Each structure stands twice: as structure tokens, then as C-alpha cells.
């Protein structure tokens, strides 16, 4: 679908070209200059970046094109003004002082950030590795014929999805010592994340199984498969395939959840930013740099998710309004 | 048990504060998100690009990072206003990105024929958007909006982590430190959150059934 839109867009200028364009082409020196190739490339990249919602409007006429040009210039001016205002605000309070930024080019600071990024990754990976099988188990329990098991799983999933992670973290932080249990800081952060995310993973798995056509189950039963055989050999392999992008998307959420280490003073990336900022009097710079790191890591993960989606080839399913990734 | 029975007001105020934060955040986020969505599908390239970059960037920043940046960072460049509104602004800017994507998905769910018919009737872009696409798009985004609202309510607890301790999670922690009855205090708070979530979910289901566009 995407490719057909692209072709249409590419075909449009040719169809609507008037004398001016031909004249321009006539006067340009032979052989496409590198500038034009660069321009075409930039346009392609921009096209990929800003999505394909162009089907909402016709190819604009002369008046429409003029209006769009005016709006383009106006919006560029507004963005420039906003950027200028931001820079001025930063400069007026001495936050553009090179010393405050050069800090992040020094190896000790970079190493400190890398170590804390490693801690963030550790929290993410460890909680993902525990939460994923736990979620699968919960989904299996919920799909099992046993009403007691499935009720318990349903209750767990519904409650844990409706309780804020922060509340759970505080409960572990303040509640466990009260009953005489002492966990290391790392696990005090990981367990609440595991418990909430297992519920989310369970829902992802279950929706994956439920999205499969009923014919699959019926066919398996007709072939004499039992409930578990059907689940193990027919439904689960397909469900895992279909939900793989959603699972990777959930990993992004897990990574974001790990910032709550800030609350339990576990030294992950956000907490490191706080320490750096307070120590070097570069609060806003540290948070901005760390935000940038999160953006880079998460965009890489999201990119993996889209590639996975393309490779697993469920392109035939048009994403509905309900499939937007919730935070 | 007396931790709660003797302090119903503390708990009530916490709940009220949480709801206040969530409501303000959601309304503000809806306004910004709608604006972003319009930018995202407009024919003006800089606007479209800005919205696309905004959405993908903000969606990959953890909310707590954004909150810390606003609450501790903005005073550094001389922007100081009340803590409540600082927190609400940060949250609204964060959720606006998700809201924009929800609205856009809704817009994409409106059949192309609707747009074409409206254009054939001679409507302008604004008219097409305002009286044909957006009303239909909003109707089929009821459920995703509800799950966003639930996420907003649950994540309003993060306000406690940056100093707005008057809200439900913050109040629970304070009560727990006073009475040291974690099971009771945290249990009660959890029940509150579950009830709010259930209420939103049920309302959304009813609304969805009423408003659904039959195709």
C-alpha cells in the first residue's frame, strides 16, 4: 500500500507539469548535478519520515500551492522564532556556557554515563527475561480450561495492570523491611517491574492467541489434537510470530520503567543524570543528554520492532485504531 | 486498619489530587495532541515533519526523565511556576505524542471514499477535516482514548517522585511511614486505582457501543 502511494506521488509532478518546469529543464546544463541528486535523496528521506497521510488531499492547484508555500514559510519563521527564544533563554541564564557542555566530552563523565546505561540495560534485560516466561505462564493459565486457574490469572492480570508501578515499588521498598525481608537494591527495582510487566506480556500473548482464526483450533481438534497439543503445536507458534513486534515494543516500555530506579536510588541512567547535574551544577544539561541517550536507544529498539514486523510478514493485516502502541 | 479509618480525609485529598492532575493533564494533552495530529496530516511539510519528529522523540523519552527535566531543569533557565502546573505541562507534552498517534490512527481508519466524497462536494481542506473526518475518527478512538486515560491516571503517581506528594501514591507513602502498616495502606491505594481504572473502562465500553459507526 505504501509503495503504491509513493509511486502516485512521484507520478504527480510529471502529470501536472507546466511550461515552466520544461523550460527550467531545458536551460539546466546536461547531466544531473550532484545538488539535484542530494535534493532528491533528502526529499525521499523526508517522505519516509513524515508518513503517508497525503491521501487526505488532492494534488493542490495553483492557489492551494501558493497557500501551502505561505504556510510553509510562516511555520518555518515560527519555528525559528521559538528556537531563538529557547537559545536566548538558555543564554540569559548562562546555560550555554561551554564549560557546562564540554563536561560531556570528558572520558570520566562518559564512562560514568556508560556504566549507568549498563545498569539500565541490566534491569531491562533481567526483568524482561523473568517477565516474559511469567507472562507466558499467566496467559497459558488464563487460556487453560481450568476455571480456578484462569480466574486467578485473570484477576492477577487485571489488578496488576491497574496499579501504578510506582505504588508497587514503594510497597516493596517500605513493605518488605516491615515483614523482615531485605532485598538488594537491584531486585527491589526488578521485582515490581517484573510483576507489572508479566501482566502486560500475558495480555499480549493472549490477544495474539485470540486473534487467530477459530478455524485453526477447530481444524486441530478435528485432527484429534487435545487442548494442550493444539495450543502448543498450532496456536502458540503462530501467536508468538504475530505478537513479536508488540513484545519488542513492550521492551521499550520496560526500558522506560527502569527509570524508576531514580526513586529507590538505584544508580541507573536517570539517577546518574541527577548525581552529575547536582555535582557539576549542570542540571538541565545532564537531563538533556540523558534524554537524548534514551531517545537513541529506544528508537533503535522501535526500529528493530518494525523490521521484525516486516520480516514476519503480517503486512496483510491493516493496523486498526486499537493497535496503536500505548505507553 | 485505623491507618485509613482515622485519616479518610488524607486519603480523600490524595485521591482528589490524583484525579485533578490526571484531568488537567488529559485535557491539555488532548488539545496539544489534536493540534499535533492536524499538523501531522497537513500538506505543509515543516509542520508535518515537526509533528513526526516530536511524536517519535517524546514517545521514546521516559516520562520520569521529562518530569525531572521540567521540575529541576526549567528553573535553571528562569522558568519558574507552580509545581503542580509544571508537572501537568510535562505530562501533557508527553501524553500529547501518544494522543496524536491515536487520533491519526483513527483518521486513517476513516475510509478514503469519505474524503473523496467530501472533496467532490467542494469542501475545503478545513471543512473536510472538521465536519467529515475528525468526527468519525474520534468515534472510533473511544477505546484507545480510554486506555490512554487509564495510563494517564496510573502515571500521575509519578508526580510523587518529583515532589507533588499530595497525590494518592505520595499520601500512601506518608501514611505508611506514620503507621507502618504497609499491607493496609498500599492495599487501600491499590483498590482506589483499580476502581478508577474499572470505572473508566466501563464508561468507555458503554460510550463505544453508543457511538460506534456501523460500516
Amino acid at each position: 500500500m505504501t509503495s503504491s502511494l509513493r509511486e502516485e506521488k512521484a507520478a504527480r509532478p510529471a502529470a501536472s507539469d507546466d511550461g515552466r518546469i520544461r523550460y527550467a529543464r531545458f536551460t539546466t546544463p546536461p547531466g544531473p548535478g550532484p545538488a539535484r541528486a542530494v535534493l532528491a535523496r533528502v526529499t525521499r528521506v523526508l517522505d519516509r519520515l513524515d508518513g503517508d497521510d497525503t491521501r487526505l488531499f488532492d494534488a493542490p492547484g495553483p492557489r492551494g500551492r501558493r497557500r501551502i508555500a505561505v504556510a510553509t514559510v510562516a511555520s518555518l519563521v515560527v519555528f525559528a522564532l521559538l528556537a531563538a527564544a529557547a537559545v536566548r533563554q538558555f543564554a540569559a541564564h548562562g546555560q550555554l556556557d561551554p564549560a557546562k557542555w564540554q563536561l560531556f566530552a570528558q572520558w570520566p563523565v562518559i564512562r560514568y554515563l556508560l556504566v549507568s546505561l549498563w545498569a539500565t540495560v541490566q534491569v531491562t534485560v533481567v526483568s524482561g527475561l523473568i517477565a516474559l516466561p511469567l507472562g507466558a505462564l499467566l496467559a497459558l493459565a488464563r487460556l487453560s480450561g481450568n476455571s480456578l486457574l484462569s480466574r486467578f490469572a485473570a484477576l492477577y492480570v487485571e489488578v496488576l495492570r491497574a496499579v501504578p508501578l510506582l505504588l508497587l515499588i514503594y510497597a516493596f521498598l517500605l513493605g518488605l523491611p516491615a515483614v523482615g525481608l531485605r532485598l538488594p537494591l537491584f531486585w527491589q527495582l526488578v521485582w515490581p517491574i517484573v510483576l507489572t510487566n508479566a501482566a502486560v506480556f500475558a495480555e499480549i500473548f493472549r490477544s495474539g492467541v485470540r486473534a487467530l482464526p477459530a478455524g485453526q483450533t477447530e481444524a486441530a481438534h478435528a485432527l484429534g489434537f487435545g487442548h494442550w497439543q493444539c495450543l502448543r503445536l498450532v496456536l502458540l507458534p503462530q501467536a508468538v510470530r504475530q505478537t513479536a513486534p508488540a513484545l519488542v515494543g513492550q521492551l521499550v516500555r520496560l526500558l522506560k520503567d527502569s527509570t524508576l530506579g531514580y526513586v529507590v536510588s538505584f544508580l541507573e541512567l536517570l539517577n546518574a543524570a541527577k548525581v552529575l547535574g547536582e555535582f557539576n551544577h549542570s542540571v538541565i544539561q545532564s537531563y538533556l543528554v540523558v534524554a537524548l541517550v534514551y531517545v537513541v536507544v529506544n528508537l533503535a529498539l522501535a526500529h528493530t520492532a518494525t523490521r521484525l514486523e516486516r520480516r514476519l510478514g503480517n503486512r496483510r493485516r491493516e493496523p486498526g485504531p486499537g493497535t496503536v502502541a500505548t505507553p | 486498619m485505623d491507618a485509613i479509618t482515622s485519616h479518610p480525609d488524607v486519603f480523600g485529598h490524595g485521591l482528589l489530587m490524583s484525579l485533578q492532575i490526571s484531568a488537567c493533564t488529559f485535557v491539555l494533552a488532548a488539545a496539544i495532541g489534536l493540534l499535533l495530529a492536524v499538523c501531522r496530516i497537513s500538506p505543509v511539510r515543516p509542520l508535518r515533519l515537526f509533528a513526526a519528529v516530536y511524536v517519535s522523540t517524546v514517545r521514546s523519552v521516559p516520562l520520569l526523565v521529562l518530569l525531572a527535566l521540567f521540575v529541576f531543569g526549567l528553573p535553571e533557565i528562569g522558568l519558574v511556576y507552580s509545581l503542580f502546573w509544571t508537572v501537568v505541562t510535562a505530562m501533557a507534552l508527553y501524553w500529547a505524542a501518544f494522543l496524536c498517534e491515536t487520533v491519526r490512527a483513527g483518521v486513517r481508519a476513516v475510509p478514503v471514499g469519505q474524503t473523496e466524497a467530501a472533496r467532490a462536494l467542494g469542501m475545503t481542506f478545513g471543512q473536510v477535516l472538521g465536519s467529515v473526518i475528525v468526527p468519525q475518527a474520534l468515534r472510533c478512538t473511544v477505546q484507545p482514548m480510554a486506555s490512554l486515560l487509564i495510563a494517564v491516571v496510573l502515571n500521575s503517581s509519578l508526580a510523587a517522585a518529583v515532589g507533588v506528594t499530595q497525590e494518592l501514591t505520595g499520601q500512601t507513602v506518608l501514611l505508611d511511614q506514620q503507621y507502618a502498616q504497609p499491607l493496609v495502606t498500599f492495599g487501600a491505594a491499590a483498590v482506589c486505582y483499580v476502581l478508577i481504572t474499572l470505572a473508566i473502562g466501563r464508561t468507555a465500553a458503554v460510550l463505544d457501543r453508543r457511538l460506534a459507526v456501523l460500516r
Side-chain angles (χ1 to χ4, degrees):
Chain A
M1 192 201 101
T2 332
S3 61
S4 74
L5 263 173
R6 291 265 180 283
E7 278 158 26
E8 200 181 299
K9 227 194 265 171
R12 242 178 232 158
S16 67
D17 70 349
D18 41 26
R20 214 176 37 187
I21 290 177
R22 274 202 200 130
Y23 181 72
R25 203 175 280 158
F26 189 66
T27 51
T28 44
R36 180 170 294 185
V38 168
L39 198 71
R41 213 192 156 120
V42 168
T43 317
R44 250 201 328 273
V45 170
L46 289 184
D47 275 345
R48 209 174 47 221
L49 266 179
D50 61 15
D52 53 359
D53 290 298
T54 26
R55 61 171 190 184
L56 279 179
F57 20 84
D58 270 327
R63 208 161 45 157
R65 245 177 299 174
R66 215 159 37 234
R67 261 209 303 250
I68 290 175
V70 170
T72 304
V73 171
S75 59
L76 282 178
V77 168
V78 169
F79 287 143
L81 283 180
L82 278 178
V87 168
R88 216 188 58 135
Q89 199 70 24
F90 269 77
H93 293 83
Q95 299 298 335
L96 285 182
D97 185 6
K100 291 200 170 191
W101 291 94
Q102 268 161 14
L103 196 69
F104 298 97
Q106 289 169 6
W107 175 240
V109 173
I110 297 178
R111 198 181 52 196
Y112 184 67
L113 284 177
L114 281 180
V115 167
S116 48
L117 176 64
W118 175 236
T120 291
V121 171
Q122 268 179 324
V123 171
T124 310
V125 170
V126 170
S127 26
L129 282 181
I130 305 175
L132 208 60
L134 204 60
L137 274 182
L138 277 169
L140 280 184
R142 200 157 176 195
L143 291 167
S144 76
N146 189 332
S147 80
L148 198 69
L149 255 183
S150 77
R151 262 211 214 133
F152 167 75
L155 186 71
Y156 177 89
V157 167
E158 292 307 324
V159 170
L160 264 288
R161 284 202 320 159
V163 171
L165 178 57
L166 185 64
L167 189 74
L168 210 61
I169 286 183
Y170 274 133
F172 267 68
L173 191 68
L174 304 170
L176 286 188
V179 290
L181 242 170
R182 291 217 172 269
L183 281 179
L185 211 51
F186 179 75
W187 293 103
Q188 257 177 11
L189 177 61
V190 166
W191 278 118
I193 294 182
V194 164
L195 291 181
T196 43
N197 279 281
V200 181
F201 279 130
E203 272 307 274
I204 295 178
F205 278 128
R206 195 173 70 102
S207 66
V209 169
R210 281 183 44 176
L212 293 174
Q216 298 279 338
T217 319
E218 287 160 12
H221 285 320
L223 287 173
F225 284 24
H227 178 76
W228 289 111
Q229 262 181 324
C230 164
L231 212 57
R232 186 165 59 89
L233 297 171
V234 179
L235 297 182
L236 282 187
Q238 296 187 65
V240 167
R241 228 163 195 285
Q242 268 192 351
T243 52
L247 291 178
V248 177
Q250 183 60 25
L251 269 186
V252 172
R253 241 183 88 171
L254 250 171
L255 194 103
K256 286 159 112 184
D257 283 349
S258 74
T259 51
L260 286 173
Y262 178 85
V263 178
V264 295
S265 332
F266 177 71
L267 198 67
E268 44 69 60
L269 202 48
L270 179 58
N271 209 358
K274 183 185 162 204
V275 173
L276 266 185
E278 283 170 2
F279 190 69
N280 296 308
H281 301 291
S282 58
V283 177
I284 198 162
Q285 289 85 354
S286 312
Y287 284 131
L288 279 176
V289 166
V290 162
L292 189 69
V293 174
Y294 276 112
V295 169
V296 170
V297 173
N298 280 336
L299 282 186
L301 272 177
H303 186 67
T304 318
T306 28
R307 276 188 51 188
L308 210 61
E309 198 165 9
R310 211 171 305 150
R311 178 178 286 188
L312 296 177
N314 5 336
R315 234 185 295 173
R316 61 204 143 86
R317 294 200 317 141
E318 179 87 353
T323 54
V324 162
T326 31
Chain B
M1 208 59 209
D2 56 327
I4 292 159
T5 44
S6 60
H7 291 278
D9 55 325
V10 178
F11 232 82
H13 282 228
L15 192 58
L16 202 65
M17 188 69 175
S18 278
L19 289 179
Q20 252 171 10
I21 294 178
S22 314
C24 292
T25 302
F26 195 72
V27 170
L28 203 58
I32 304 173
L34 265 180
L35 197 68
L36 273 175
V38 171
C39 285
R40 190 95 162 76
I41 56 183
S42 77
V44 183
R45 170 151 273 161
L47 291 181
R48 214 158 61 205
L49 212 59
F50 167 77
V53 171
Y54 179 92
V55 168
S56 59
T57 312
V58 170
R59 281 213 316 187
S60 25
V61 177
L63 178 55
L64 197 54
V65 173
L66 214 56
L67 280 174
L69 190 61
F70 270 68
V71 173
F72 305 121
L74 282 192
E76 298 276 307
I77 57 166
L79 291 175
V80 191
Y81 50 108
S82 83
L83 185 59
F84 176 87
W85 285 107
T86 312
V87 165
V88 166
T89 333
M91 286 189 175
L93 286 176
Y94 178 78
W95 293 112
F98 293 93
L99 226 128
C100 166
E101 281 308 271
T102 309
V103 173
R104 193 166 80 106
V107 168
R108 291 169 78 108
V110 177
V112 194
Q114 298 275 338
T115 322
E116 286 167 355
R119 270 209 305 260
L121 288 174
M123 289 180 163
T124 62
F125 176 65
Q127 282 174 323
V128 173
L129 213 58
S131 43
V132 177
I133 296 174
V134 170
Q136 294 190 65
L138 286 185
R139 280 169 170 230
C140 56
T141 51
V142 171
Q143 288 281 12
M145 285 287 183
S147 36
L148 257 183
L149 182 56
I150 290 175
V152 169
V153 173
L154 293 189
N155 283 291
S156 72
S157 66
L158 287 185
V162 289
V164 189
T165 44
Q166 298 93 324
E167 57 81 61
L168 188 51
T169 300
Q171 288 297 328
T172 312
V173 171
L174 290 184
L175 267 187
D176 181 68
Q177 281 165 351
Q178 247 178 9
Y179 288 87
Q181 292 176 327
L183 206 62
V184 178
T185 46
F186 286 105
V191 168
C192 286
Y193 280 113
V194 171
L195 286 182
I196 297 174
T197 312
L198 275 183
I200 297 173
R202 286 285 149 81
T203 318
V206 171
L207 267 181
D208 195 41
R209 226 173 302 134
R210 288 249 175 101
L211 293 178
V213 186
L214 292 177
R215 289 216 174 92

